[in-house]
Amino acid sequence: MTFRQFAFNNVMRNKRTYAGYFLSSTFAVMVFFVYAMFAFHPAFNKETIHSSVSLGLHFAEAIIYVFSFIFVLFSMSSFLKTRKKEFGLLVMHGMTNMQLRRMVFLENVIIGFFATILGIGLGIIFSKMLLLAAENILELEEPLLFYFPVKALALTFVSFLFLFVIISFATVVILKGSKLVDLMKGSSVPKAEPKGSLLLSLLAAVLLIGGYVAALLVKGLGVAVAMIPVTTVVIIGTYFLFTQLSVFVIRALKKRQSFFWKKTNLVLFSDLAYRMKDNARTFFFVAIVSTVAFTAIGSLVGFRSMVTTSLVEESPFAFEYVSGEENKSETEHVSFIRDELDQEGIPFQETKVVVKELLATGEEYDQSLSIVRESDYNNLIQSGEFELKKANLSGNEAMVVYPKRELNGSQRNVEKESNKTIVLKKNEVSLEQTTSQEAGIFPDYQDYIIVDDRLFEKLTKIENQKTFYAFYTKDWKETSEIGKKINSAIQPEGFEEPYQFFSLAATWSFINQAFGATLFIGLFIGAVFFVAAGSFLYFRLYTDLDEEKRKFAAIGKLGLTHKELSKIVTIQLGLLFFAPILVAVIHGAVALTALHNMFDFSLLKESTLVLGSFFVIQVIYFLFIRMGYIRKLKRAI
């Protein structure tokens, strides 16, 4: 048997230890390959596809690659600790330190090579399904046809083979200098009972509670200002939560004899403090990584929902055309819009609104205001069957109609006070605001003043006048292509033009596609982070498996039943497995609530969907690991 065969057989003999590491590495390779396959897809070089998608995919690849390096290095260092005794026996039988390091180097390269091959293979196998999924998420108009991704294959293979070689050199450095006595002792060196500091435990509680309270109380743009300090405080609090507070609580429970000596709690909590202390840094890392994944995906889903919902709320008409006084093509453009809708057989309701802009002063107003006649406003709200109250004004009475949101995204005060006086300077008219209405039916994010028709005609000293045409149809989502055609024909070049055209369906489709690209990128990055987090927990649990076998084998001789074993292991694994995930879910829920406070848009549905999905996946993952873990312990007993 050659030395290379010996290294290969070592990998096969330790397949239980390396299984999680191998599968997680394979998943990272597969995701990297999928991103590369999309980034190099010929369709993304066309102008019809959002131009930033390819760049974003390459950026995602870089994030995954860096994270994979940290993940693989951490995993290998964990495995080396579990195999110290094995290495010690090999050294005792004559293996030199150089041969030992060479063996570990070859083992890691073998695992990396096959993980890379399998990851690329799985990516190719599921490529068509992933291309179809991308079409739906990105809402692309053209299909993403299957192609053989030569560039993506080469990039993935070279990148990850290089990564595993570098990691192999790093593991050799870790082993360098290890003495035989240290290798033979392995992880059996007696440990002092861990103690949690009362002061640091209180600090952890104060930092977490303080960070949560600050995040939940801050509103509007203050959330962005408080983000960095609050995040820093919560991260520090999380670290002390696992390293100090958890150990302190376990020691306090052990001191309560009525609790500690009850049934199997003695076995359950006897070494739980040791395991919490040993795994504290891992739990901290898992909690932070999972929080990033939860928050990022929840934010992306929430932002997409917020933008599209706000768009429809504030621009409910299929087409909007605003014409200035200098526009000589108004009649031609409006006729063109009607003709396109008629040709497609789409029923619509057209409303024309004349808007006068003039200067005004008042208790709330000292600016140029937009004045609309009462009849135009009533026709506008009837055309779309909106649940809005009609204007019924006389004399100098006025109604203020304002949007639900300002341009900066902050919520307007719905309870607008009445009985305000608005003075129209040049016309020498004082308007009395008798009522107000929240309605996103006008083409821009500003207040509109509704006045009586006769008074409207008397307002002749104005700064500017424009005409607003609104085309309403229930089937507005079917007008995307018409909107693009009209926009291409009219070609308004910018806000300096004497007219503006807006298509709700075309804009809605563009936003969905743009956010779909971001969501698609973030979703897979979050998935990699989440899988890696679960893998870290898997590695740490199986690192202690041999010691757990010896412990439960000894306790089994004293009469521990299989049922009691299952109960103890399930509770202990549950505490170790879900502690960081539960902390991450709480962190993520607070972060998404803070985003709700910032934009005043409910993210409850999106938060529940994201956090709930991840939690369900983690429960399934836990049940799978628990089943195998208990089976191995029962065999030992």
Side-chain angles (χ1 to χ4, degrees), residues 12 80 159 161 166 179 222 431 444 493 637:
M12 298 305 297
L80 291 178
S159 298
L161 198 60
I166 295 298
K179 297 180 181 178
L431 302 178
D444 45 23
E493 297 180 356
I637 296 177

Side-chain angles (χ1 to χ4, degrees), residues 234-245:
V234 170
I235 288 175
I236 296 173
T238 305
Y239 179 79
F240 286 130
L241 168 67
F242 290 115
T243 58
Q244 301 295 328
L245 182 58

Side-chain angles (χ1 to χ4, degrees), residues 127-369:
S127 58
K128 184 57 183 177
M129 182 179 68
L130 293 170
L131 288 169
L132 290 173
E135 287 179 26
N136 295 324
I137 295 175
L138 298 175
E139 296 194 2
L140 302 180
E141 297 173 0
E142 298 181 4
L144 292 176
L145 301 176
F146 177 79
Y147 78 111
F148 191 75
V150 178
K151 291 182 179 179
L153 193 151
L155 177 64
T156 306
F157 184 80
V158 173
S159 298
F160 272 88
L161 198 60
F162 176 76
L163 182 145
F164 283 111
V165 169
I166 295 298
I167 293 295
S168 300
F169 279 114
T171 54
V172 168
V173 173
I174 293 173
L175 279 177
K176 189 176 182 180
S178 298
K179 297 180 181 178
L180 177 60
V181 64
D182 296 328
L183 293 174
M184 291 304 298
K185 287 182 179 179
S187 58
S188 61
V189 180
K191 303 175 184 177
E193 184 177 5
K195 298 179 180 179
S197 168
L198 175 61
L199 180 62
L200 294 178
S201 298
L202 290 174
L203 179 62
V206 169
L207 289 176
L208 288 174
I209 294 174
Y212 289 160
V213 171
L216 296 175
L217 292 182
V218 177
K219 304 289 183 180
L221 296 178
V223 175
V225 177
M227 184 179 297
I228 294 178
V230 168
T231 302
T232 303
V233 165
V234 170
I235 288 175
I236 296 173
T238 305
Y239 179 79
F240 286 130
L241 168 67
F242 290 115
T243 58
Q244 301 295 328
L245 182 58
S246 62
V247 177
F248 183 83
V249 170
I250 293 171
R251 280 176 58 84
L253 291 173
K254 289 172 68 174
K255 290 179 180 180
R256 295 181 58 184
Q257 293 188 2
S258 59
F259 174 81
F260 188 58
W261 291 94
K262 184 178 180 181
K263 295 183 179 180
T264 57
N265 286 350
L266 173 65
V267 179
L268 176 62
F269 287 93
S270 61
D271 66 343
L272 187 60
Y274 291 95
R275 302 194 74 179
M276 288 298 299
K277 190 76 172 181
D278 290 342
N279 299 322
R281 289 183 176 83
T282 301
F283 292 162
F284 166 72
F285 186 71
V286 168
I288 298 303
V289 168
S290 299
T291 300
V292 172
F294 296 159
T295 306
I297 295 177
S299 300
L300 291 172
V301 174
F303 283 152
R304 182 178 183 176
S305 176
M306 181 183 70
V307 173
T308 53
T309 301
S310 299
L311 176 69
V312 176
E313 286 180 351
E314 297 294 345
S315 306
F317 299 102
F319 301 128
E320 294 176 1
Y321 182 84
V322 181
S323 175
E325 290 180 296
E326 300 176 359
N327 182 23
K328 298 179 181 180
S329 305
E330 177 180 330
T331 304
E332 178 187 347
H333 289 166
V334 173
S335 297
F336 182 69
I337 296 172
R338 294 192 196 107
D339 293 341
E340 289 298 320
L341 286 168
D342 288 335
Q343 287 179 12
E344 294 295 330
I346 298 176
F348 66 94
Q349 181 70 37
E350 178 188 342
T351 307
K352 178 181 178 181
V353 178
V354 177
V355 182
K356 292 182 178 180
E357 295 181 346
L358 41 81
L359 295 177
T361 59
E363 296 179 51
E364 288 194 8
Y365 301 98
D366 188 7
Q367 58 185 355
S368 176
L369 293 183

